[in-house]
Amino acid sequence: MLILNKFRAWLGILLCIIAGFCPILKVPIKGNWNLYQSDARLFFITYTIIAISVLFLFIRKAGAFRFMSFVMAIWYVLAVVAVYFTANNYTKYGFANKLISKVVHFQWGWIVLLVGVIFMLFSTKRGEKITAQTNV
């Protein structure tokens, strides 16, 4: 039986929602970009995963919420890798890629998202099933 710590789950979801609007990349001249400005598909897929997690939290499906937490963790890793490779391979010219990769920097929004994902991951744990015993 899974035990769900609702405070950690809600805190993780709230941090993941906030992280989408925090600065993710620092781009020269244009300033800081959030998740939507860096890649709209990444933004929509992230918020779809969060919405499904909220749905499972509302209907009290701890196993499904735990699964979506793992999906969110895998998605976080894929998103970081995707944004990193996009920044390093933005054009087909090697010189321009080296220049862009040196001026585009990751910001603190990734840390907020990581903390939210960690809270979601550690909000469920295995527990023993409590059975009622009758004394006859």
Side-chain angles (χ1 to χ4, degrees):
M1 182 175 155
L2 288 174
I3 298 172
L4 180 64
N5 185 335
K6 288 184 183 178
F7 177 74
R8 283 187 198 155
W10 283 114
L11 185 62
I13 287 172
L14 182 66
L15 285 174
C16 288
I17 291 170
I18 291 171
F21 300 103
C22 293
I24 298 290
L25 292 175
K26 181 176 177 135
V27 180
I29 301 171
K30 292 195 174 193
N32 293 328
W33 284 3
N34 60 20
L35 194 59
Y36 180 73
Q37 292 168 329
S38 65
D39 190 1
R41 290 174 291 185
L42 196 69
F43 176 81
F44 288 124
I45 293 171
T46 303
Y47 277 86
T48 302
I49 293 171
I50 293 170
I52 293 169
S53 299
V54 168
L55 175 71
F56 287 141
L57 192 58
F58 270 129
I59 61 174
R60 296 183 181 154
K61 296 289 184 184
F65 180 80
R66 184 177 191 192
F67 174 74
M68 290 309 292
S69 298
F70 283 117
V71 168
M72 187 67 183
I74 293 168
W75 181 249
Y76 172 80
V77 172
L78 289 175
V80 170
V81 170
V83 170
Y84 175 78
F85 282 121
T86 301
N88 287 330
N89 297 317
Y90 195 70
T91 65
K92 59 183 176 178
Y93 305 109
F95 174 74
N97 285 336
K98 289 179 185 176
L99 183 65
I100 290 172
S101 68
K102 288 182 181 177
V103 296
V104 174
H105 300 287
F106 282 72
Q107 290 289 80
W108 54 271
W110 291 108
I111 296 171
V112 176
L113 186 59
L114 177 64
V115 171
V117 169
I118 289 172
F119 270 113
M120 285 176 65
L121 279 174
F122 291 114
S123 64
T124 57
K125 65 178 181 178
R126 292 232 177 251
E128 291 186 19
K129 197 172 199 179
I130 300 172
T131 57
Q133 296 179 355
T134 58
N135 293 332
V136 180

